[in-house]
Amino acid sequence: GVMELTERKREFLAAVEELYRETGQPVHYEDVAKRLEVSKWTAYDMIRDLTRGGFLRAQYQRLPSVGRSRMIVVPVSMEQEWQQNLVGILEIMQELKDKNPKTSLEILSQKIGKQSKGVFCAYVIVMSLIVLRSAIGSVKVLELLAGGLCPQVVLATLGGMMLGHYLKAKPDELKGTLDSYLPKYQQYISEVSDEEQKQLVVFLEQAARQLSTNSGIVFKGG
């Protein structure tokens, strides 16, 4: 049955939604504890109850520094937003397909502004593909995806390929667009949740296929 949302639980759910909106990142219970000035344990219990009740969805984030994962949560009501954002970015890419790379990058740069880390990465993926397209074609990207590497490695490798190509490209042609984004991208892909990494790989695959064919847009989230 559906869990009754007590006033108290509503307060915790609202705090998670607020934090998620502010950071664009899945939320850890300790952040909720700080926000509501309660003990970690209280926050942990509440978050667990809300997750069991189906209001929050649990994801896991690897913490290489301590060699373990921690549970983070996303408000179910806001998960759709992330999917819609990805579909929206694919649609923008579709419109830019026939423009020259410089124009495309300028247009995308204007949109990348205040985005969550995951959405920022999706924009950089599209920018990378647009630039790489002329250089190596999306075939290389699809080969990379077929390698069955873990999502973070795939995403990092794309960033590396991008940087390598970028440094060789005529600097004036694409100056100032990706230089500032690539280091941030490499940082963010290690910070988003495992689930978001997986979905970014699906996104990358769809974007690469879309650039190599003229098919319409199909986004299947994880």
Side-chain angles (χ1 to χ4, degrees), residues 159-176:
M161 280 161 59
M162 192 52 229
L163 201 54
H165 168 65
Y166 197 69
L167 297 172
K168 283 188 302 221
K170 294 194 288 294
D172 52 334
E173 179 199 353
L174 303 165
K175 212 189 210 72

Side-chain angles (χ1 to χ4, degrees), residues 14-25 27 31-32 35:
V16 174
E17 286 175 349
E18 222 171 75
L19 285 160
Y20 183 68
R21 203 170 268 121
E22 286 166 21
T23 61
Q25 286 306 294
V27 178
D31 301 326
V32 178
R35 171 68 49 105

Side-chain angles (χ1 to χ4, degrees), residues 47-162:
I47 295 304
R48 200 188 49 196
D49 286 353
L50 286 165
T51 305
R52 282 188 185 145
F55 295 94
L56 301 174
R57 197 180 312 284
Q59 299 183 358
Y60 292 87
Q61 182 183 41
R62 267 190 304 281
L63 298 173
S65 51
V66 290
R68 61 190 172 82
S69 282
R70 66 177 193 167
M71 187 181 90
I72 44 187
V73 290
V74 174
V76 168
S77 60
M78 293 163 85
E79 241 181 349
Q80 302 309 314
E81 260 173 60
W82 154 250
Q83 300 282 2
Q84 283 159 1
N85 274 326
L86 294 185
V87 171
I89 297 169
L90 286 178
E91 283 167 358
I92 295 167
M93 189 183 81
Q94 188 74 24
E95 286 164 28
L96 296 177
K97 264 171 80 159
D98 307 318
K99 293 194 172 23
N100 75 19
K102 195 172 188 302
T103 310
S104 299
L105 291 185
E106 279 164 7
I107 292 169
L108 290 164
S109 297
Q110 288 160 10
K111 296 179 181 290
I112 202 168
K114 183 102 185 66
Q115 300 287 354
S116 75
K117 290 180 182 179
V119 173
F120 177 93
C121 290
Y123 269 105
V124 176
I125 285 171
V126 165
M127 288 177 168
S128 302
L129 290 177
I130 284 172
V131 175
L132 285 174
R133 186 186 184 185
S134 51
I136 59 173
S138 36
V139 182
K140 277 265 187 12
V141 178
L142 294 170
E143 278 170 16
L144 165 68
L145 288 161
L149 301 159
C150 82
Q152 195 178 328
V153 173
V154 170
L155 297 167
T157 306
L158 176 75
M161 280 161 59
M162 192 52 229

Side-chain angles (χ1 to χ4, degrees), residues 5-15 50:
L5 262 186
T6 59
E7 196 52 46
R8 186 106 167 104
K9 289 210 173 87
R10 226 176 240 118
E11 195 187 336
F12 277 82
L13 183 57
L50 286 165

